Amino acid sequence: MGSLVVDLMHKLLSLRWERPVIILDGLDECGAQEELRSLMKLVLILDELPPAFAVLVSCRPESSVVSAWVRARAQGLVIPCEDMDTVAEEENFHTIHRMVEEGLQDCIDNSSWKPSKEEVDAFVSACRGLPIIASIRVRDVSFQTCRGATLRSEFEYFRDLIDAPEDINKEYLRVLRRAYMVGSSGVRKHTAKKYRQVVATINAAFEPLSVFFISQLSGIAEEEVLAILDPIRSIVDLPSKLDLEHSSESLPESPPESSSEEVQGVKFYHATMKEFIMGDPIGDENDKVFFITDANQYFLGLPLLRFFNNSCEQDVFGFPTVPPLGDEERWSNLPKREHYHPYLLRYARHDQYAQPSQLFAQGSNLQNEFNTFLTQNLVTFMHLAPIGEQYKGFPDGFDEFKVNKIVVSRLF
């Protein structure tokens, strides 16, 4: 923080910026409480910036953040804070009103029916003073009116809601019920199974995955993945149409010219959605299907390793497999696909998915895949390590494979 930020900004200030502003958004999403406490120590170092700088921090009032502000104030630092939950009711209503008016402007312009001022006010009031609910409902109306619903029917739907949501968790439940419930019978079994596979994959990934990759890991066709996620587009950010056209192209012959052409990943609009799904179930018996508390990040270990092994078998990476493997000319003629390797492999190689005590508890399937990896594909794995990174052996806990490890080491 000192050398890369504070010192550098002191030097850059000579460029005569008018008013530099640093924005730190979502600190509460940066790890567990212990990690957040360490992070706050770095954040407070920003007080050493030149006086011309302003730092805006936005986050939920986690205890680690609040206690850091209290300690800093006790040391004489002036840190003005505003609790958005205590914003004046009139100001909050005005903010949500603007969100609704601007967010639904296209829908209103394209509709023969126009909501009255009173109807818009009622729509805004039904958002319970929560901008996050307003943003969800604006997207909900926009998606529904593109799929055959009318603007009038959508306003009437929200006006006539039974057991209208009072908080964000109940709003998430409303969206899921509307998307998947079939009358009083609940969610169809085949829909529930696919929902749990797809959403659990999104939850467990440590960064957004493409529709193609979600399809590969879950074993569900891309169109079925989209069919599961499309009804909940108000809470799930799906790729644009252009991205979807390229999602089935696993590894084109040549990499894109810039990172801006990379396939967009699927993610939740709000971190609170993930917390909701992994939290204690609410609602009735039929609603329990929406909550995924029995699938953590380790359940991706088997499908990730299987995906990697299959990619090696299909010669996706294009590495020579017939001796002499050290022929420099053969390696120099390989397609330049390095751009794709990090995206494909950072999941299969990530420590979060390679904890033996968790992985091998799942049964023999993963052990069989790992044996395949050791005996057939470890050479490819090691060649795909980032430039300058040395292979350091297997993660702690894989001692049971030391015989294979010795055999593999002799290949080099």
Side-chain angles (χ1 to χ4, degrees):
M1 183 64 77
S3 60
L4 298 180
V5 178
V6 176
D7 293 346
L8 180 62
M9 293 305 164
H10 274 279
K11 296 176 181 178
L12 290 180
L13 198 61
S14 62
L15 298 178
R16 299 184 182 278
W17 293 348
E18 293 182 0
R19 181 61 167 169
V21 179
I22 296 176
I23 299 177
L24 305 178
D25 183 34
L27 290 186
D28 53 285
E29 300 176 23
C30 295
Q33 290 297 322
E34 183 176 349
E35 296 166 315
L36 192 53
R37 280 193 291 271
S38 299
L39 178 61
M40 292 306 298
K41 294 178 182 178
L42 293 177
V43 171
L44 291 173
I45 295 177
L46 293 176
D47 181 62
E48 299 174 10
L49 288 169
F53 280 85
V55 181
L56 174 64
V57 179
S58 171
C59 67
R60 286 181 287 176
E62 297 288 352
S63 59
S64 298
V65 177
V66 174
S67 60
W69 296 149
V70 172
R71 288 194 300 271
R73 288 194 180 104
Q75 296 171 5
L77 295 182
V78 178
I79 304 177
C81 296
E82 182 173 7
D83 185 349
M84 298 307 295
D85 289 335
T86 62
V87 172
E89 184 176 347
E90 297 79 8
E91 182 180 347
N92 204 31
F93 183 86
H94 176 72
T95 298
I96 296 176
H97 211 288
R98 286 286 299 274
M99 293 176 64
V100 171
E101 285 182 326
E102 295 176 7
L104 296 181
Q105 190 59 57
D106 288 343
C107 295
I108 294 174
D109 290 343
N110 295 328
S111 173
S112 58
W113 176 84
K114 313 292 183 183
S116 64
K117 179 182 181 303
E118 291 73 22
E119 287 167 322
V120 173
D121 289 347
F123 188 100
V124 171
S125 297
C127 293
R128 304 292 184 178
L130 296 174
I132 187 173
I133 290 184
S135 64
I136 290 173
R137 293 191 177 183
V138 165
R139 288 192 294 266
D140 206 354
V141 172
S142 299
F143 293 141
Q144 296 294 339
T145 53
C146 289
R147 288 160 176 74
T150 64
L151 183 63
R152 183 171 187 170
S153 66
E154 286 303 293
F155 264 74
E156 291 175 348
Y157 162 77
F158 285 108
R159 181 196 67 194
D160 300 334
L161 273 179
I162 299 175
D163 298 328
E166 299 176 354
D167 56 44
I168 185 59
N169 284 343
K170 291 182 179 178
E171 177 70 3
Y172 287 140
L173 186 60
R174 176 197 68 79
V175 173
L176 294 172
R177 283 174 170 174
R178 190 182 191 190
Y180 304 120
M181 288 287 190
V182 182
S184 59
S185 59
V187 183
R188 293 188 176 96
K189 288 185 178 180
H190 69 278
T191 300
K193 181 179 179 181
K194 292 176 183 177
Y195 162 86
R196 294 181 66 83
Q197 287 178 286
V198 171
V199 173
T201 300
I202 297 173
N203 261 356
F206 62 87
E207 66 177 71
L209 303 176
S210 68
V211 173
F212 166 76
F213 210 179
I214 293 174
S215 170
Q216 295 295 305
L217 296 180
S218 64
I220 300 175
E222 287 182 71
E223 60 267 25
E224 293 181 338
V225 171
L226 291 171
I228 286 294
L229 297 177
D230 192 68
I232 55 174
R233 293 194 67 161
S234 61
I235 53 179
V236 176
D237 187 8
L238 285 179
S240 64
K241 181 179 180 181
L242 178 62
D243 287 328
L244 291 177
E245 290 174 352
H246 296 291
S247 64
S248 59
E249 300 176 6
S250 56
L251 288 176
E253 287 300 320
S254 60
E257 297 180 359
S258 68
S259 60
S260 63
E261 297 181 35
E262 292 181 357
V263 176
Q264 176 187 349
V266 178
K267 60 181 182 296
F268 298 124
Y269 279 108
H270 310 287
T272 49
M273 176 60 183
K274 182 174 182 177
E275 296 170 1
F276 166 76
I277 290 175
M278 300 179 68
D280 296 330
I282 63 174
D284 55 33
E285 191 67 24
N286 286 335
D287 297 317
K288 290 183 178 179
V289 67
F290 299 130
F291 299 88
I292 305 175
T293 58
D294 57 348
N296 58 23
Q297 59 197 13
Y298 300 111
F299 95 98
L300 283 183
L302 176 58
L304 281 168
L305 191 54
R306 182 180 292 133
F307 179 76
F308 178 78
N309 284 338
N310 290 341
S311 297
C312 292
E313 292 175 5
Q314 297 169 16
D315 195 26
V316 168
F317 306 106
F319 287 102
T321 56
V322 179
L325 297 179
D327 190 332
E328 183 175 347
E329 181 178 354
R330 297 174 66 192
W331 285 93
S332 64
N333 292 330
L334 286 175
K336 296 185 179 300
R337 299 183 176 187
E338 291 84 353
H339 177 86
Y340 296 96
H341 295 165
Y343 177 78
L344 181 67
L345 295 174
R346 58 175 168 254
Y347 289 91
R349 300 171 59 224
H350 203 278
D351 286 345
Q352 291 184 11
Y353 304 124
Q355 299 297 326
S357 61
Q358 296 288 338
L359 294 177
F360 293 102
Q362 300 176 25
S364 61
N365 287 337
L366 187 130
Q367 185 164 342
N368 291 337
E369 283 293 331
F370 192 75
N371 285 336
T372 300
F373 164 76
L374 287 175
T375 57
Q376 299 180 21
N377 302 322
L378 184 60
V379 174
T380 300
F381 176 88
M382 295 170 70
H383 279 303
L384 289 174
I387 296 176
E389 178 181 321
Q390 296 182 350
Y391 182 69
K392 301 178 181 179
F394 301 105
D396 294 338
F398 285 92
D399 294 338
E400 59 189 284
F401 298 102
K402 59 185 178 181
V403 175
N404 305 66
K405 179 179 178 180
I406 295 174
V407 172
V408 172
S409 66
R410 290 177 178 172
L411 294 175
F412 300 88

